[in-house]
């Protein structure tokens, strides 16, 4: 399973130059994992044992539902619910702390999150190796639109093992990609706010109209799913 997920070429992830490359990396891994779980993994006992043990977060439940048939999702839930019943509602009396711990374990764990974290670590190592060894990839890295805040921290932390000279260059370029977008984004959000001043009525909104959504995406690495009626809520 890991070999399949980690076979994604890093170069392919960075080629689009649209948004954060590490978000694209994560999204591709999530898509493969959610498709795998509702497909080939359905009949693999070792995978089912782990999905029953860890469960899924709400984000990844949604992805499974979007990719799998209703039957495949129901089969996953059938054994998962049985596992939860035995863990949270055991026969006989259970100590409140034990029950609370069992519920919290369900809240804190996710099979896909755990696998994505491990796979991202491997792909980050490949990214850093490419950056250090291939000038063409450095150019590709520098041409990215931006790096979101969560993945900025992740990339800098992962690169800390680089030789100091390489790290300084990588950190500077990664910071440029994150900070430059932050500054442009801040300007757009401020402009959006100022457009509600009566003195700017009829003025040019520029690139600020979707700045709310873009800011949330940069801050969290996830695009917001809520939809607003701009005609009703902008005034």
């Amino acid at each position: 399973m890991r070999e399949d997920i980690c076979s994604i070429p890093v170069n392919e992830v960075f080629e689009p130059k649209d948004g954060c490359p590490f978000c694209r990396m994560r999204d591709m891994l999530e898509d493969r994992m959610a498709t795998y779980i509702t497909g080939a993994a359905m009949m693999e006992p070792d995978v089912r044992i782990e999905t029953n043990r860890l469960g899924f977060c709400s984000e990844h439940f949604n992805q499974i539902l979007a990719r799998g048939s209703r039957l495949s999702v129901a089969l996953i839930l059938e054994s998962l619910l049985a596992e939860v019943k035995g863990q949270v509602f055991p026969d006989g009396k259970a100590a409140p702390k034990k029950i609370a711990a069992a519920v919290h374990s369900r809240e804190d764990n996710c099979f896909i999150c755990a696998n994505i974290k491990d796979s991202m670590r491997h792909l980050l190592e490949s990214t850093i190796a490419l950056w250090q060894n291939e000038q063409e990839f450095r150019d590709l890295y520098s041409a990215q639109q931006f790096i979101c805040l969560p993945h900025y921290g992740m990339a800098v932390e992962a690169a800390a093992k680089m030789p100091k000279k390489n790290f300084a260059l990588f950190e500077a370029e990664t910071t440029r990609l994150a900070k430059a977008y932050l500054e442009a984004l801040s300007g757009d959000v401020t402009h959006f706010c100022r457009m509600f001043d009566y003195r700017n009525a009829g003025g040019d909104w520029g690139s600020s109209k979707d700045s709310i959504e873009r800011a949330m995406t940069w801050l969290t690495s996830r695009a917001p799913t809520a939809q607003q009626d701009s005609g009703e809520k902008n005034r």
Side-chain angles (χ1 to χ4, degrees):
M1 181 171 62
R2 177 183 297 176
E3 183 179 352
D4 177 60
I5 292 174
C6 291
S7 66
I8 302 170
V10 173
N11 275 312
E12 288 185 9
V13 174
F14 277 79
E15 279 172 3
K17 306 182 190 69
D18 178 23
C20 172
F22 298 111
C23 287
R24 292 196 299 274
M25 186 180 287
R26 177 207 58 211
D27 292 347
M28 193 175 291
L29 289 169
E30 286 180 332
D31 178 65
R32 288 196 169 201
M33 179 60 74
T35 301
Y36 170 73
I37 288 171
T38 55
M42 285 291 297
M43 296 297 111
E44 294 186 21
D46 56 334
V47 175
R48 185 64 67 84
I49 288 170
E50 282 300 289
T51 57
N52 290 341
R53 182 177 70 86
L54 296 173
F56 304 96
C57 65
S58 60
E59 177 74 31
H60 292 133
F61 261 132
N62 283 326
Q63 292 186 13
I64 289 170
L65 187 59
R67 288 161 179 77
S69 68
R70 292 187 67 79
L71 174 58
S72 65
V73 176
L75 289 170
I76 291 170
L77 289 170
E78 181 181 36
S79 59
L80 177 56
L81 289 171
E83 180 83 7
V84 171
K85 181 180 178 181
Q87 185 182 17
V88 181
F89 305 99
D91 293 334
K93 277 197 168 184
K97 285 186 177 180
K98 187 175 181 181
I99 293 172
V103 174
H104 290 323
S105 175
R106 288 287 158 189
E107 296 171 339
D108 297 338
N109 290 300
C110 169
F111 178 81
I112 294 182
C113 284
N115 280 273
I116 294 301
K117 183 178 181 181
D118 188 49
S119 299
M120 284 291 288
R121 179 171 56 83
H122 288 287
L123 287 176
L124 267 171
E125 289 172 357
S126 298
T127 300
I128 290 166
L130 280 170
W131 191 91
Q132 292 187 97
N133 297 320
E134 296 187 15
Q135 182 59 49
E136 186 177 353
F137 182 76
R138 287 195 187 197
D139 295 339
L140 190 60
Y141 189 93
S142 297
Q144 296 305 304
Q145 185 181 17
F146 67 86
I147 293 176
C148 71
L149 182 62
H151 289 137
Y152 167 66
M154 182 191 71
V156 172
E157 182 180 24
K161 296 179 181 178
M162 281 181 172
K164 287 185 178 180
K165 182 179 178 181
N166 287 352
F167 173 77
L169 294 171
F170 180 86
E171 191 272 339
E173 190 58 24
T174 304
T175 297
R176 180 189 69 79
L177 288 168
K179 189 177 180 181
Y181 189 77
L182 167 62
E183 291 174 346
L185 191 57
S186 297
D188 282 344
V189 171
T190 296
H191 184 68
F192 181 91
C193 295
R194 287 175 177 167
M195 287 302 294
F196 288 88
D197 188 318
Y198 72 93
R199 289 169 294 186
N200 295 321
D204 183 8
W205 288 80
S207 58
S208 72
K209 285 190 174 181
D210 66 345
S211 59
I212 291 172
E213 290 77 11
R214 287 188 290 114
M216 291 179 179
T217 301
W218 185 82
L219 287 166
T220 67
S221 85
R222 299 277 188 185
T225 57
Q227 299 293 322
Q228 289 188 330
D229 184 332
S230 60
E232 293 181 1
K233 294 193 175 183
N234 269 354
R235 287 288 179 185

